[in-house]
């Protein structure tokens, strides 16, 4: 292990993506404890070094070989590609967190109602290449004002007529009197990898992706146990997706009933539990799953 090359992973040091990245990695046993001035975190797990950097530097880090892989918002990778940089980097896994969309937004009670009204106007954004590409494709002649933060303030302080920014819950837009008029793209956290990784590093990246997938699948799944009349078991498949072939166990002293164990890979909501009760299920247990393998 000592002479093996270390796997280098670029992560966002702080911001919307860093918490989810650290949470995912720690569920995969990396036990990372980021601290303010620590820019390099070392782990014995898979012989890995984590480089803590700005998220917009991550595609460049991977592309140039400063790191082997990196976790970043897909929107930043698209921006990087559209700015003409991408040579040696690709998306190797989708990580199902930090979902958001890149949207055009305008003053809610202003004159701009649709895309056509943007001609001749100024749009503030941190994603100039993605916006320029969209404007070109839609034949809209607008000016782009590049800002690296607080983009939603631009219309209020009179330096832009519209913005093109990331939206997650929509709260920030609402708080600043803005409304979305068009979604340019949907995004989530992705794992970027260099295309020419050595076979030794590739092996460890495959193991990492296996661990990520196990945790991601488990996140949305529940292990459900319940008691029910034997004759009602076929009804379960309409209520619990994944219940086509459930495990059933005899219940001592209750010959007409069984205990059912099933993993449901869909979200289980309160109305699912109510439906189970309505067909006579009892002793219902709904348990979170840590990891799902295979
Ligand atoms: P929200 O108020 O939840 O719609 O979040 C909007 C604010 O958070 C904006 O300032 C966005 O730039 C930022 N934001 C939302 N989602 C993400 C994300 N996935 N990655 C980076 N920044 C984001």
């Amino acid at each position: 292990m000592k002479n093996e090359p270390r796997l280098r992973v670029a992560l966002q040091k702080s911001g919307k993506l860093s918490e989810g990245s650290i949470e995912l990695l720690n569920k995969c046993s990396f036990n990372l404890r980021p601290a303010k001035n620590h820019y390099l975190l070392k782990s014995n797990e898979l012989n890995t070094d984590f480089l803590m950097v700005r998220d917009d530097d991550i595609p460049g880090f991977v592309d140039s070989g400063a790191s082997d892989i990196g976790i970043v918002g897909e929107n930043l990778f698209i921006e990087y590609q559209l700015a003409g940089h991408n040579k040696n980097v690709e998306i190797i896994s989708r990580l199902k967190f930090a979902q958001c969309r890149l949207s055009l937004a305008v003053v809610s009670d202003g004159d701009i109602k649709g895309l056509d009204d943007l001609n001749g106007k100024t749009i503030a954004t941190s994603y100039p290449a993605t916006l320029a590409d969209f404007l070109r494709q839609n034949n809209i002649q607008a000016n782009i004002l590049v800002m690296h933060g607080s983009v939603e303030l631009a219309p209020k302080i009179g330096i832009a007529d519209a913005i093109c920014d990331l939206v997650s819950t929509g709260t920030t837009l609402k708080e600043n009197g803005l409304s979305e008029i068009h979604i340019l793209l949907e995004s989530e956290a992705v794992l970027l990898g260099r295309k020419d990784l050595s076979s030794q590093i590739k092996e460890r990246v495959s193991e990492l992706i296996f661990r990520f997938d196990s945790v991601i699948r488990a996140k949305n799944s529940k292990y459900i146990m319940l008691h029910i009349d034997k004759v009602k078991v076929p009804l379960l498949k309409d209520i619990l997706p994944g219940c086509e072939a459930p495990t059933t166990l005899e219940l001592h002293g209750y010959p007409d009933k069984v205990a059912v164990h099933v993993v449901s890979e869909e979200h289980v909501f309160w109305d699912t539990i109510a439906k189970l009760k309505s067909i006579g299920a009892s002793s219902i247990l709904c348990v979170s799953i840590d990891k799902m393998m295979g």
Side-chain angles (χ1 to χ4, degrees):
M1 207 63 170
K2 239 183 178 172
N3 295 326
E4 272 186 15
R6 295 185 67 80
L7 171 65
R8 291 160 306 159
V9 186
L11 298 182
Q12 187 192 36
K13 176 145 181 61
S14 64
K16 288 248 176 187
L17 234 69
S18 58
E19 204 179 299
S21 307
I22 299 291
E23 188 187 327
L24 179 60
L25 285 156
N26 283 349
K27 282 189 175 159
C28 297
S29 309
F30 284 91
N31 205 16
L32 299 178
R33 300 269 173 274
K36 204 161 182 243
N37 295 319
H38 292 178
Y39 296 98
L40 176 67
L41 304 177
K42 287 180 168 285
S43 172
N44 291 333
E45 204 66 39
L46 301 181
N47 223 10
T48 311
D49 288 343
F50 293 94
L51 315 176
M52 311 304 285
V53 296
R54 279 177 56 115
D55 59 350
D56 43 8
D57 285 337
I58 292 176
F61 261 59
V62 179
D63 198 0
S64 67
S67 67
D68 302 307
I69 55 175
I71 296 180
V72 77
E74 185 179 8
N75 57 292
L76 273 176
F77 177 56
I78 292 171
E79 176 71 16
Y80 186 77
Q81 284 183 308
L82 289 171
H85 296 303
N86 178 37
K87 296 173 199 83
N88 201 17
V89 56
E90 61 189 348
I91 293 176
I92 52 175
S93 189
R94 309 192 70 85
L95 302 177
K96 309 271 189 280
F97 71 92
Q99 280 89 357
C100 62
R101 50 198 187 270
L102 182 67
S103 291
L104 278 163
V106 297
V107 177
S108 298
D109 50 7
D111 299 335
I112 306 173
K113 306 286 180 210
L115 293 182
D116 289 344
D117 303 327
L118 288 172
N119 275 300
K121 299 288 196 287
T122 297
I123 308 169
T125 190
S126 307
Y127 304 95
T130 311
L131 176 58
D133 183 67
F134 173 81
L135 295 175
R136 202 168 33 245
Q137 289 200 34
N138 288 277
N139 211 13
I140 299 167
Q141 315 294 325
N143 307 308
I144 297 176
L145 174 70
V146 181
M147 291 177 72
H148 297 291
S150 307
V151 173
E152 54 282 340
L153 282 182
K156 206 177 271 182
I157 57 177
I159 56 172
D161 306 288
I163 68 166
C164 173
D165 199 12
L166 295 180
V167 183
S168 173
T169 59
T171 310
T172 306
L173 288 185
K174 216 171 180 184
E175 282 172 357
N176 288 282
L178 300 169
S179 302
E180 268 175 289
I181 55 166
H182 193 83
I183 296 174
L184 273 64
L185 58 91
E186 309 261 2
S187 173
E188 66 178 343
V190 293
L191 185 66
L192 297 184
R194 233 182 32 259
K195 290 179 186 168
D196 59 356
L197 294 173
S198 71
S199 56
Q200 263 178 319
I201 292 289
K202 242 187 212 160
E203 226 172 84
R204 261 175 286 155
V205 172
S206 299
E207 170 61 24
L208 185 65
I209 292 174
F210 171 77
R211 294 187 191 187
F212 280 168
D213 288 347
S214 306
V215 171
I216 292 164
R217 274 184 73 197
K219 199 160 80 177
N220 291 330
S221 303
K222 291 278 183 259
Y223 192 87
I224 296 160
M225 291 168 273
L226 52 87
H227 295 176
I228 196 162
D229 287 341
K230 272 182 185 165
V231 291
K232 299 275 182 66
V233 171
L235 301 179
L236 288 173
K237 69 175 186 328
D238 294 330
I239 302 174
L240 290 174
C243 198
E244 282 74 17
T247 304
T248 58
L249 302 163
E250 296 293 333
L251 277 173
H252 182 72
Y254 295 89
D256 298 333
K257 279 186 178 277
V258 282
V260 174
H261 289 208
V262 66
V263 172
S264 181
E265 288 196 41
E266 305 281 323
H267 278 293
V268 176
F269 296 107
W270 288 111
D271 67 332
T272 313
I273 306 295
K275 282 180 197 157
L276 291 172
K277 282 165 79 174
S278 76
I279 61 162
S282 62
S283 302
I284 305 168
L285 279 181
C286 190
V287 181
S288 296
I289 300 171
D290 197 36
K291 292 170 186 73
M292 272 178 74
M293 289 158 248

